[in-house]
């Protein structure tokens, strides 16, 4: 009798359909009284998109690497006015940076529905930053920019106010496939240069030619950017390529007259910060060539193949070319030291963009 029980247990363990409750061993069957109920694995919880607005998300929203293209506006404006940069120039640069970043935040807020389809990875459609936070940041940065301009004097505020209005009008209304969009962006960049002239020298008339050249460059870049997600048109890159060649030639040409302050500094027998004519000529020519080389190649590739990736590269090349153009304009005004300072922003911007936290942040 005792030998039959183990034998029956062995047969039941060897039978293919035997269950774990029938198998021998010290474990208590799950159905036995007092045993804990078997736990079923939980399904992974679905989490809502993060809206904590981390540093990386804000860096992407504000396009931080593109900030290096901004200080050259005010510095080139001060050079065109014939005045050395000073504390008020720094206030103008701070105002420009705030208004530029206000435009970036407002741009993504206005494009949030379109970006949800074409650029779902951006901070707002991906849920990393709330739209209300982006709009609040745009308003706060605009207020800060106007306050800094007011600190630089009434002439600076008189330029900063229409500049801020142009930024908001462009982002909210003019850029939506209207002919006035590129012109508004060009006007904003030209006003930014005039802001530096007004803050530093009190006037803007002498800086109008430089503002027109910088605005023409911005007009070409903006026209190309309107096709960066769809591609399909070689006309805008071709027009930008022709504009780049014309601007490079104009920037490399020696002006008929230097600004009044530069003429006084360069007068015989007077010491000043203006380098010798041969040095400024070399700076002007070299920086104009760098500008042309930076912008022309991606424009040419986009003209040959106007696909979205190449069009986006053309836009990025045009944005990066802003710095050597600003430096060339400063050299054209006879401000050699200022032109070198502006030119140094290009490698500084590349170094900043290569940092780990900035590698995924686009400037476009």
């Amino acid at each position: 009798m005792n030998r039959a029980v183990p034998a029956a247990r062995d047969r039941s363990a060897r039978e293919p359909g035997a269950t774990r409750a029938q198998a021998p061993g010290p474990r208590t069957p799950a159905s036995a009284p007092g045993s804990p109920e078997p736990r079923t694995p939980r399904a992974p919880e679905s989490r809502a998109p993060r809206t904590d607005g981390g540093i990386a998300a804000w860096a992407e929203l504000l396009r931080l690497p593109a900030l290096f293209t901004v200080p050259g506006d005010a510095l080139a404006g001060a050079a065109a006015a014939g005045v050395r940069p000073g504390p008020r120039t720094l206030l103008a640069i701070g105002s420009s940076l705030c208004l530029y970043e206000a435009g970036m935040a407002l741009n993504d807020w206005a494009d949030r529905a379109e970006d949800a389809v074409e650029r779902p990875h951006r901070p707002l459609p991906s849920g990393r930053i709330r739209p209300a936070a982006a709009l609040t940041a745009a308003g706060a940065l605009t207020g800060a920019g106007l306050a800094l301009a007011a600190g630089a004097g009434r002439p600076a505020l008189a330029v900063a106010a229409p500049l801020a209005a142009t930024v908001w009008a462009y982002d909210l209304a003019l850029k939506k496939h209207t002919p006035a969009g590129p012109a508004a962006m060009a006007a904003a960049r030209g006003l930014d240069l005039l802001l530096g002239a007004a803050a530093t020298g009190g006037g803007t008339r002498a800086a109008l030619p430089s503002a027109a050249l910088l605005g023409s460059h911005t007009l070409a870049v903006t026209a190309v950017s309107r096709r960066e997600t769809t591609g399909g048109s070689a006309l805008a890159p071709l027009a930008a390529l022709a504009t780049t060649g014309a601007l490079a030639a104009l920037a490399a040409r020696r002006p008929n007259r230097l600004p009044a302050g530069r003429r006084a500094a360069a007068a015989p027998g007077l010491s000043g910060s203006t380098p010798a004519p041969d040095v400024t000529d070399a700076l002007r020519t070299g920086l104009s060539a760098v500008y042309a080389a930076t912008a022309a190649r991606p424009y040419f590739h986009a003209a040959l193949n106007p696909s979205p990736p190449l069009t986006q590269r053309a836009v990025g090349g045009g944005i990066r070319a802003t710095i050597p153009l600003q430096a060339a304009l400063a050299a054209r005004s006879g401000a050699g030291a200022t032109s070198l300072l502006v030119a140094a922003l290009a490698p500084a911007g590349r170094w900043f963009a290569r940092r780990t936290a900035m590698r995924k942040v686009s400037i476009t």
Side-chain angles (χ1 to χ4, degrees):
M1 184 69 180
N2 292 338
R3 286 196 299 266
V5 173
R9 289 179 179 175
D10 291 343
R11 283 196 303 272
S12 63
R14 288 195 298 266
E15 289 178 358
T19 61
R20 291 188 62 88
Q22 296 171 325
R27 291 187 180 180
T28 304
S31 57
S35 63
E37 291 293 328
R39 294 183 179 181
T40 57
R42 288 186 178 182
E45 298 179 359
S46 58
R47 295 183 179 180
R50 292 181 60 185
T51 55
D52 54 358
I55 294 177
W58 282 100
E60 185 177 348
L61 176 74
L62 299 176
R63 324 287 203 279
L64 289 186
L67 277 181
F68 289 84
T69 68
V70 178
D73 289 347
L75 292 172
V83 184
R84 288 185 183 182
R88 292 191 174 187
T89 313
L90 294 178
L91 288 173
I93 292 174
S95 175
S96 298
L97 291 171
C98 289
L99 294 177
Y100 185 88
E101 293 292 41
M104 289 296 182
L106 187 63
N107 173 80
D108 279 22
W109 180 85
D111 288 351
R112 62 193 186 279
E114 179 182 340
D115 287 345
V117 177
E118 298 180 350
R119 307 176 188 90
H121 60 279
R122 284 191 169 180
L124 266 64
S126 65
R128 288 175 288 155
I129 295 178
R130 292 185 295 271
L135 184 60
T136 302
L141 287 166
T142 300
L146 292 174
L148 288 170
R154 293 180 63 182
L157 181 60
V159 177
L163 171 57
T166 303
V167 169
W168 280 73
Y170 172 81
D171 283 332
L172 296 181
L174 298 179
K175 74 173 180 178
K176 295 293 186 180
H177 308 292
T178 64
M185 182 61 73
R189 201 86 201 200
L191 285 170
D192 202 32
L193 187 146
L194 295 178
L195 175 60
T200 308
T204 58
R205 179 175 297 181
L208 288 175
S210 294
L213 294 178
L214 185 60
S216 299
H217 166 72
T218 306
L219 179 69
V221 177
T222 308
V224 175
S225 71
R226 308 192 93 181
R227 292 276 190 165
E228 65 178 340
T229 58
T230 60
S233 175
L235 181 60
L238 281 174
L241 186 61
T243 302
T244 299
L247 292 176
L250 290 172
R253 183 183 301 175
R254 178 185 292 182
N256 295 328
R257 297 181 65 187
L258 289 173
R262 302 294 172 195
R263 291 199 303 271
L270 296 178
S271 60
S273 62
T274 302
D278 291 342
V279 176
T280 52
D281 288 347
L283 283 173
R284 187 178 63 250
T285 304
L287 290 169
S288 299
V290 173
Y291 159 68
T294 304
R297 184 175 180 180
Y299 285 157
F300 180 71
H301 289 166
L304 292 178
N305 178 15
S307 62
L310 290 181
T311 303
Q312 291 167 12
R313 289 183 188 178
V315 174
I319 294 174
R320 284 186 288 269
T322 303
I323 295 178
L325 177 59
Q326 295 163 337
L329 293 175
R332 187 173 181 268
S333 301
T338 301
S339 69
L340 291 175
L341 176 61
V342 175
L345 293 171
R350 288 194 298 269
W351 172 83
F352 182 77
R354 284 196 295 264
R355 291 178 62 86
T356 303
M358 297 293 113
R359 286 178 182 171
K360 295 183 179 180
V361 178
S362 173
I363 65 174
T364 61

